[in-house]
Amino acid sequence: PLKMIPHNAAFVDEAYQEKKRPDLYSIVKKIRDMRPAHSRLLYVAEVKERAAKANLESDLTTYFMEFQHKYEMTGLLLILNSFCIHLIETEADHFRDLVLELNARVVDKASIYKGMWVVHFCEEKPERLFDLWLCKSIAMSGSSKEIKNLVDHERYWTVYEGMCKIAAKIKKDKEKGKSEFGMTIKQNASDLIPSAEELGSIATEQEMT
């Protein structure tokens, strides 16, 4: 039945109650909760001399084993002489804790790292580039990727793009049934990744650490 409200003479259906319209935050949050969200971090690091002379691939694999289980971390860690390029992926909910623990290990006096420079970060990625974590030491005599003379953002993007392309190569190999990716990484690194000498242009006080 319809009921007239005397004050403003408006008609209201008692059986109808207008629903509260969701605000923009609620809509975005609902979409976010309905799909996976991953965070991605890429950094370049320089290791201390004593660490560089050791079996760095084995040491870093052990070093990050806890991260893999604790934070469901995936990605690729490339070792180029005394420099490392590490692309890390994890669930967005784990990312802050992962970064805090990584930073605590870097600043520790016993750390194997001499310095670390973040060159790329992104969040809310719907998919991961990697579905596993890989560590590979590569002895490159040279590389076709030169970044020293590029402007800052182009240097960073070149390194990030190279890691993404290697991820795509690994994914393609995995679809073909391969389970070992060391050769794939090695074959593509010299074309896609700058040499250790070139990476030194990122490891300066001007970069974000």
Side-chain angles (χ1 to χ4, degrees), residues 73-103:
M73 184 183 78
T74 59
L76 175 62
L77 171 56
L78 295 183
I79 304 166
L80 308 170
N81 298 328
S82 61
F83 281 94
C84 301
I85 307 174
H86 197 182
L87 192 152
I88 292 175
E89 296 178 297
T90 188
E91 298 288 337
D93 294 340
H94 297 323
F95 188 73
R96 180 178 179 276
D97 292 336
L98 185 154
V99 172
L100 287 174
E101 183 169 346
L102 179 61
N103 182 68

Side-chain angles (χ1 to χ4, degrees), residues 38 40 61 64-65 67-69 71-77 86-90 127-136 163 166-175 178-182 184-185:
H38 308 288
R40 194 176 295 159
T61 297
F64 283 105
M65 191 173 294
F67 281 75
Q68 295 176 60
H69 299 300
Y71 301 113
E72 299 178 5
M73 184 183 78
T74 59
L76 175 62
L77 171 56
H86 197 182
L87 192 152
I88 292 175
E89 296 178 297
T90 188
E127 296 181 359
R128 297 188 187 220
L129 290 171
F130 298 89
D131 59 3
L132 70 169
W133 185 82
L134 299 165
C135 179
K136 187 66 179 174
M163 296 292 276
I166 290 177
K169 299 280 187 181
I170 292 173
K171 184 177 182 180
K172 188 175 291 186
D173 279 356
K174 192 171 184 180
E175 290 172 351
K178 290 186 178 181
S179 57
E180 296 293 331
F181 309 106
T184 299
I185 295 171

Side-chain angles (χ1 to χ4, degrees), residues 116-133:
M116 182 179 289
W117 297 266
V118 175
V119 297
H120 185 81
F121 163 71
C122 54
E123 54 186 348
E124 299 295 327
K125 305 298 289 186
E127 296 181 359
R128 297 188 187 220
L129 290 171
F130 298 89
D131 59 3
L132 70 169
W133 185 82

